[in-house]
Amino acid sequence: MASLAEPQFLTVGEGVAARRIAYRRVEGRGPTIVWLGGFKSDMKGTKAEALDAFARAGGRAYLRFDYSGHGESDGDFEAGTISRWAEEAAAMVALAGPAPVLVGSSMGGWISLLVARQMASPPAGMVLIAPAADFTEALMWPAFPDEVKRQIEATGRWVRPSAYDEGGYPITRALIEDGRRNLVLGGLVETGCPVRILQGMQDPDVPWRHAMLLAEKMARDDVVVTLIKDGDHRLSRDEDLARLTEAVETMAEAYRRA
């Protein structure tokens, strides 16, 4: 299986901040599809694997990676921040060549928007799945009880229970504070490319209205939102994966024909 192949590594950062980021790529025709995963997920997840199979079947270029502290990459998860993971994502996008299609899931949607800001020219397009833009400040912090906020501020961390991980997710003060320096929803969001958003209406983590807020902020971009009435956060059912690959194919082919 493709997912069992040994990953390649790229060193991002210097000195004590250096970390080896694991990635896998499929050679093929462009534009390169780049997978940007979610918080505490890795590049062997269902959607990332589905895109790998899609790319191989269609002879398309594809690149996926793990943020530091995730999957096969080096680093401590608790040292992670939005800025740190965005720096790693930008380095990976640079490997993909000009005008890639960015496919961002959950936190990867926020990271995609931050990376696009840094690119010399716009991406070929974006496909965002339950995009969790500004999630640390817009979705997490307001929902935390006062005692949890006090614990994070006093001790620097709190372990949040999760339906996706028995051990829960450590939420650090550094993550929250750094998130505030990377907010995108306070004004106009401009990507310079077409954007397709796939959002489940039964998503307990990223409410569908949050995706609609992002779409409203993209007032100058070509944005299409697909609301999936019975869809959850993962959107990993066969029909969800079909929607994902169709959106990516449409985006890539539109760019090739332009």
Side-chain angles (χ1 to χ4, degrees):
M1 293 176 61
S3 62
L4 298 181
E6 288 298 313
Q8 296 175 269
F9 289 89
L10 176 71
T11 298
V12 178
E14 299 179 353
V16 295
R19 57 271 191 206
R20 291 198 320 152
I21 304 303
Y23 70 97
R24 290 180 169 83
R25 69 190 312 165
V26 175
E27 300 296 338
R29 70 182 188 278
T32 302
I33 301 158
V34 181
W35 171 255
L36 298 95
F39 187 70
K40 262 287 192 170
S41 68
D42 62 57
M43 63 173 157
K44 291 184 179 180
T46 304
K47 293 186 290 293
E49 290 280 12
L51 285 175
D52 183 277
F54 162 77
R56 292 176 186 278
R60 298 180 183 278
Y62 176 53
L63 187 149
R64 52 181 163 152
F65 68 97
D66 288 330
Y67 307 110
S68 58
H70 292 68
E72 297 166 285
S73 289
D74 291 347
D76 178 7
F77 175 80
E78 291 195 41
T81 61
I82 300 301
S83 294
R84 182 180 177 93
W85 293 328
E87 179 188 18
E88 296 157 7
M92 285 295 151
V93 169
L95 285 183
V101 174
L102 304 183
V103 185
S105 177
S106 194
M107 181 182 79
W110 186 5
I111 299 290
S112 295
L113 297 173
L114 295 173
V115 169
R117 283 179 171 179
Q118 304 174 36
M119 295 175 66
S121 57
M126 287 189 192
V127 178
L128 307 180
I129 308 138
D134 297 4
F135 77 90
T136 53
E137 192 69 9
L139 301 177
M140 274 188 177
W141 194 251
F144 289 163
D146 289 343
E147 59 268 26
V148 168
K149 294 178 180 179
R150 287 193 292 268
Q151 180 179 337
I152 292 172
E153 290 168 345
T155 69
R157 71 190 297 273
W158 169 68
V159 178
R160 181 187 190 188
S162 171
Y164 311 113
D165 189 320
E166 290 184 1
Y169 295 166
I171 306 299
T172 66
R173 184 174 61 226
L175 175 69
I176 298 295
E177 292 176 348
D178 179 78
R180 291 171 181 152
R181 293 189 285 270
N182 287 284
L183 302 178
V184 298
L185 295 177
L188 190 66
V189 177
E190 295 188 89
T191 67
C193 69
V195 180
R196 301 295 177 262
I197 297 175
L198 304 177
Q199 175 68 50
M201 294 187 75
Q202 304 302 318
D203 186 338
D205 300 302
V206 180
W208 65 268
R209 289 179 178 83
H210 191 72
M212 297 306 296
L213 173 62
L214 174 59
E216 290 172 11
K217 297 290 184 178
M218 293 176 162
R220 297 178 183 171
D221 289 333
D222 167 14
V223 181
V224 176
V225 180
T226 300
L227 294 177
I228 302 159
K229 190 172 182 179
D230 62 345
D232 61 8
H233 185 62
R234 290 187 171 185
L235 290 182
S236 294
R237 302 168 301 180
D238 288 346
E239 59 266 38
D240 300 324
L241 299 176
R243 289 187 184 95
L244 171 60
T245 54
E246 180 182 8
V248 171
E249 180 174 27
T250 300
M251 192 77 69
E253 284 305 302
Y255 182 79
R256 286 172 58 85
R257 290 194 300 267

